[in-house]
Amino acid sequence: MLLGFVFLYLLISIGIGVYAATKVKNSRDYVVAGRSLPLYIVMATVFATWFGSETVLGISATFLEEGLHGIVADPFGSSMCLILVGLLFARPLYRMKLLTIGDYYRRRYNRVVEVGTSLCIILSYMGWVSAQMTALGLVFNILSGGVVDSNTGIMIGAAIVLLYTLFGGMWSVALTDFFQMSIIIVGLGYIAWLVGDMAGGPAVVIQHAAEHGKFNLLPELNARDIVAFIAAWVTMMFGSIPQQDVFQRVMSAKDEKTAVRGSVLGGSFYFLFAFIPIFIAYSAFLVMPEMVDTLLKEDSQLILPTLILNHTPLLAQVLFFGALLSAIMSTASGTILAPSATFTENILKVFITFRNDKQQLWTMRAVVVAFTCGIVLFALNSQMSIYSMVENAYQVTLVAAFVPLAAGVYWRPATTQGALLAMFLGITTWLGLEYLNPEGFWPPQFAGLLMSILGMVLGSLSPVQLVHRGHHEPHKHHVEVAA
């Protein structure tokens, strides 16, 4: 019965994706849904940006072990990222009518900055999308009672997501996100009520967590812990801003006001709803403490699935696994499309001249297939946990892409030389510390961010500008946009 309902759900998702493909007439439809989405769909798809496997399985397990202090990166940093995108970046970037975030770096600086930042953005998706595929493998393994092993589950899940994303692009992402967000809200809301009642009610669960120090967010008052805390926060909060999936969800809005509101509301709703899986997991700890203790040592990602399968009725199982699959697939679809669009628009175009828009559209689809295959190989060979994959995903964009974006929009003196020096110092500092002293006082990605800021300032204010902007875009236009 459970497998039958899950199969039906997957068929509906594929059907929505196939229907969405009828709306795709050109590459702009494929990447940003023709810039036509209303507020409720923009909010749903922004919410779905982060609400994936790590929210349901990763964050909840980490909270059980470390409390709020352990999840500062997500949901605190990640939700703040979406809100900052809406407040600070949605309006100026929407006015530029860009296809990808990589296009901004070309227009504001030059082709070299575009290619460099685009490569970093593409690389950052490896861990993020792999986390979703790993979670799909885990779910199919659990649902089949072990008949389908995790690796086979990863390949099945990737094929399903690819099938409904390939032809519909951002239209498929947007429409399936709206459907899947509805499943998430209903499913996890019901599970929270059911499991919370089994644990004695919300007041009992919250009181128990408070008494055991799980709500302690702030670090110890010493320099090392404070620096580590700030580094964890800014990695997701700033490193996730220059991301194609975030960008195209916001840029798909029908107007700039919708882009701003959709991002802020979606980010705020994500922050609030991310605590539902945390509440469910802690309730599970009170209902079956011995089982939870055992799984924390073996595989903490199995806590919620085991609770649901062993202690709840069929309806709860259907709703939970429907919500879990919704969370994973809504994130996976967008994060497969985003790097593929960036690679086609900002890397391939350097070497290939497309005869027309139709050729570019079909090239994007081919890249989607190739990227999905690469992600499957990465997921099959990765030993990291889902939460670790996500937490580490955006270090490269933090040190290489965030400062050129923020300075380009809000600091008028920013130059191409400054952007290149920011990228160089950020990446070399980060990689150097990762190799020489990864557990040192300065977290590598945070030191890389600080050096990136220094590089932007020194490179831009230097009286000698050895590197200049490309001549294909007038500087005046971008000063007006930033202003």
Side-chain angles (χ1 to χ4, degrees):
M1 285 287 289
L2 177 58
L3 284 173
F5 279 113
V6 169
F7 183 70
L8 177 62
Y9 165 78
L10 294 174
L11 283 180
I12 293 173
S13 294
I14 292 171
I16 293 173
V18 171
Y19 164 74
T22 63
K23 296 180 174 290
V24 176
K25 302 296 188 294
N26 53 51
S27 57
R28 183 166 291 273
D29 288 339
Y30 193 72
V31 178
V32 290
R35 291 165 63 96
S36 60
L37 300 181
L39 177 60
Y40 67 96
I41 292 185
V42 174
M43 188 181 80
T45 196
V46 168
F47 167 83
T49 306
W50 299 135
F51 208 97
S53 59
E54 75 293 340
T55 311
V56 180
L57 303 177
I59 292 176
S60 56
T62 304
F63 176 82
L64 286 177
E65 297 180 273
E66 304 178 37
L68 288 183
H69 180 72
I71 59 172
V72 62
D74 190 11
F76 289 92
S78 54
S79 58
M80 197 63 204
C81 158
L82 298 174
I83 293 170
L84 289 177
V85 167
L87 295 177
L88 301 179
F89 295 97
R91 199 178 299 275
L93 293 181
Y94 191 91
R95 292 173 184 173
M96 294 177 71
K97 299 181 179 179
L98 306 169
L99 192 63
T100 68
I101 188 69
D103 290 346
Y104 174 81
Y105 295 100
R106 182 183 69 251
R107 291 196 190 180
R108 181 61 174 86
Y109 301 110
N110 67 6
R111 179 73 77 176
V112 177
V113 178
E114 172 199 12
V115 172
T117 51
S118 296
L119 285 173
C120 292
I121 289 168
I122 292 167
L123 286 173
S124 72
Y125 281 101
M126 295 299 288
W128 181 264
V129 190
S130 293
Q132 312 312 314
M133 296 307 171
T134 300
L136 282 174
L138 180 70
V139 171
F140 286 124
N141 175 254
I142 293 170
L143 288 175
S144 67
V147 174
V148 176
D149 63 76
S150 295
N151 286 348
T152 304
I154 287 173
M155 291 185 281
I156 293 172
I160 292 170
V161 175
L162 175 63
L163 185 61
Y164 76 74
T165 306
L166 180 60
F167 294 102
M170 190 59 202
W171 271 111
S172 289
V173 172
L175 296 184
T176 53
D177 277 357
F178 181 72
F179 165 68
Q180 289 161 346
M181 191 187 85
S182 303
I183 300 295
I184 290 169
I185 293 172
V186 174
L188 291 185
Y190 172 71
I191 296 298
W193 172 78
L194 181 67
V195 178
D197 188 61
M198 292 166 58
V204 172
V205 176
I206 294 171
Q207 183 179 353
H208 191 279
E211 290 173 351
H212 288 76
K214 297 300 182 181
F215 294 148
N216 295 334
L217 173 64
L218 298 178
E220 297 290 331
L221 293 179
N222 62 73
R224 187 184 185 91
D225 285 351
I226 291 173
V227 169
F229 178 82
I230 295 172
W233 197 311
V234 301
T235 298
M236 288 289 284
M237 181 166 60
F238 293 156
S240 305
I241 288 177
Q243 287 294 333
Q244 175 62 18
D245 61 319
V246 176
F247 169 85
Q248 66 190 50
R249 281 168 156 88
V250 175
M251 294 305 113
S252 297
K254 64 180 182 179
D255 54 51
E256 65 181 66
K257 184 181 292 186
T258 301
V260 173
R261 291 177 177 175
S263 186
V264 173
L265 290 172
S268 301
F269 189 60
Y270 169 76
F271 177 76
L272 295 174
F273 208 79
F275 285 94
I276 299 297
I278 291 174
F279 174 80
I280 296 172
Y282 205 84
S283 299
F285 174 69
L286 298 183
V287 172
M288 43 184 193
E290 292 182 1
M291 185 276 287
V292 172
D293 284 337
T294 301
L295 290 178
L296 282 173
K297 297 172 185 176
E298 296 176 357
D299 188 351
S300 59
Q301 296 162 166
L302 293 174
I303 292 173
L304 289 187
T306 303
L307 165 74
I308 299 302
L309 284 175
N310 295 337
H311 294 272
T312 61
L314 178 62
L315 176 60
Q317 295 174 23
V318 170
L319 290 175
F320 173 79
F321 284 102
L324 180 57
L325 285 170
S326 294
I328 298 169
M329 294 197 302
S330 63
T331 299
S333 58
T335 47
I336 285 175
L337 176 63
S340 303
T342 300
F343 182 78
T344 306
E345 171 72 9
N346 305 114
I347 305 296
L348 279 185
K349 263 191 170 182
V350 177
F351 307 101
I352 299 173
T353 300
F354 296 113
R355 292 193 302 271
N356 50 49
D357 186 79
K358 186 176 181 180
Q359 185 186 39
Q360 180 174 347
L361 173 60
W362 280 99
T363 302
M364 280 186 187
R365 286 172 169 153
V367 173
V368 168
V369 175
F371 185 78
T372 303
C373 293
I375 284 297
V376 168
L377 290 175
F378 185 87
L380 291 175
N381 293 283
S382 177
Q383 300 299 317
M384 289 189 293
S385 71
I386 291 172
Y387 191 82
S388 296
M389 284 185 192
V390 170
E391 192 175 20
N392 294 327
Y394 296 121
Q395 293 185 11
V396 62
T397 45
L398 176 71
V399 303
F402 172 70
V403 171
L405 173 65
V409 174
Y410 285 104
W411 194 46
R412 205 178 286 253
T415 67
T416 301
Q417 180 171 283
L420 289 171
L421 190 56
M423 293 167 61
F424 175 76
L425 290 182
I427 292 174
T428 54
T429 301
W430 169 56
L431 291 178
L433 286 178
E434 283 286 359
Y435 178 73
L436 296 173
N437 193 19
E439 302 299 327
F441 178 84
W442 290 102
Q445 77 276 16
F446 189 47
L449 172 64
L450 297 178
M451 291 302 292
S452 181
I453 294 170
L454 178 64
M456 174 59 75
V457 173
L458 293 179
S460 297
L461 297 184
S462 171
V464 180
Q465 293 292 312
L466 300 176
V467 183
H468 299 285
R469 291 172 48 81
H471 297 292
H472 56 282
E473 296 276 0
H475 180 64
K476 180 181 177 183
H477 168 72
H478 300 289
V479 171
E480 290 172 352
V481 170

